[in-house]
Each structure stands twice: as C-alpha cells, then as structure tokens.
Amino acid sequence: MSIHLTLLCAPGGDPTLDPLLGDAHLSEDSMHMADAARAVLSPREPAIRAPSIRCSETADAMGLVASSEPMLRDLNVGRWCGRTVGEVAATDPDGFTAWLTDPDATPHDGESVRQLCRRSADWLSSVAPHTGHTVAITEAAVIRAVLIDALAVPARAFWHLAVPPLRAVFLTWRGGCWDVQFGGVSPQEPRRRLLSRRATLAVGSA
C-alpha cells in the first residue's frame, strides 16, 4: 500500500495584523508567497483543499486545480468567528486560557480541539490505499490535528505544534504507521525527516 500526502498550510491573511479567527482573503504578501511556490509543485499533481476562501485562493495562486474536501475545514470557533485573537483574549480571558489548555473546552460554543482531532483522524484513515502522491492545502489547525493522529501524541500537544504558512508536512504510510517529514516548497529548503510515529508511540494516545 502506497500513500504519500503533502500537506501545505495556507497563509492566514496579513501577518502584520492581529490574527483574525475564521476565514479571510489572502493578503497581497500572502498571494505573492503562494505564487512563488508555483514553480515547485506540478500543476498535474492531484490536489485537494479545505473549503475556505484562503485555501481556494492559495490553490489558485499555486496553479493547482484542487477539489474541495469538507473534512479538511478549519476548526469551528463558533461565536468567536470574525474576532481577533487579541479581542477574545481581552474580553474572555478565562475562556481563551481554557481553549489553549483543555482540548475538550468549547468556550466559543463551537468545535473542541479534540473533536477536530477526531475529524482529521477520520479523514486520514479514509485516504484510499495506493493513493500515490496527493497535495492537500488546508488550515494550520487541521495540520496540527493530523499530526496529533499521525504521531500518536496527546491532543493537549495541539497548540505546541508550529505550522508556518506554506511549510510542508510530508506523510508516508509505511509498515502500518505514518512517517512524518517537514520541509518547504522552496527548492533551497529540502525535506528533513524529523519525526516518525514509531519514535513517539511511547508518548501515549490522545
């Protein structure tokens, strides 16, 4: 069985502004960043994307024809959607702290981190054998959740996984588990194998 997935994190808007929770159009700088990656990925590679505006615009800027996959949608932040991180932290400090420390917390009345991890794990397990290589453009939260499952680490590690814009996570199904590599979409930034589920099984499950 051969499964090779490249997960790319869509840029999340203007990085100079207080991060906005929820969907948003790409900033001009983010569009340029995605366009610069066009030469690295073949437009003929099978591609899927989260159903958000930013993931659609990222795929277009990279010249990829990507079908929308609902299971890759972003974490639902409920009534916090459209607000900035700073605003939420200032007006609901207890809820914001709970959100960052308890994977079951839903202070926004939306989706918990653990629920997102389960949804992402369901998607990962649904990928068909002999898929070959597929590119998935999705959200930082979804990539964190996929890593939680692929590396079999606790859900409380979710916020400790850094997922920079357009940095790639390479997943390969091998020997009954996922091998994980990190890299970029620049020719000068080679793949670096950093983690494998085999090396993290002792940590325990989410």
Side-chain angles (χ1 to χ4, degrees), residues 156-188:
R156 63 178 177 273
F158 180 87
W159 293 111
H160 299 285
L161 298 169
V163 184
L166 289 180
R167 292 302 183 268
V169 175
F170 305 96
L171 298 179
T172 303
W173 181 257
R174 193 192 337 260
C177 60
W178 291 101
D179 285 344
V180 181
Q181 298 173 299
F182 296 85
V185 292
S186 166
Q188 288 75 39

Side-chain angles (χ1 to χ4, degrees), residues 7-10 48-50 55 72-73 136-140 142-143:
L7 307 183
L8 289 175
C9 176
I48 57 176
R49 62 169 176 81
C55 287
L72 295 178
R73 65 189 182 276
I137 298 173
T138 186
E139 317 286 351
V142 173
I143 295 178

Side-chain angles (χ1 to χ4, degrees), residues 49-124:
R49 62 169 176 81
S52 65
I53 293 171
R54 63 172 157 258
C55 287
S56 176
E57 292 180 346
T58 300
D60 289 345
M62 297 180 72
L64 296 174
V65 178
S67 59
S68 179
E69 172 49 69
M71 292 186 75
L72 295 178
R73 65 189 182 276
D74 201 4
L75 176 68
N76 178 4
V77 292
R79 55 189 173 82
W80 288 357
C81 186
R83 303 173 68 185
T84 66
V85 169
E87 180 185 357
V88 170
T91 58
D92 187 7
D94 291 340
F96 188 68
T97 298
W99 188 50
L100 296 180
T101 56
D102 180 2
D104 294 305
T106 55
H108 42 56
D109 298 324
E111 184 178 27
S112 72
V113 164
R114 194 180 303 277
Q115 288 171 328
L116 171 63
C117 290
R118 287 171 180 160
R119 166 160 59 86
S120 300
D122 288 343
W123 170 75
L124 197 58

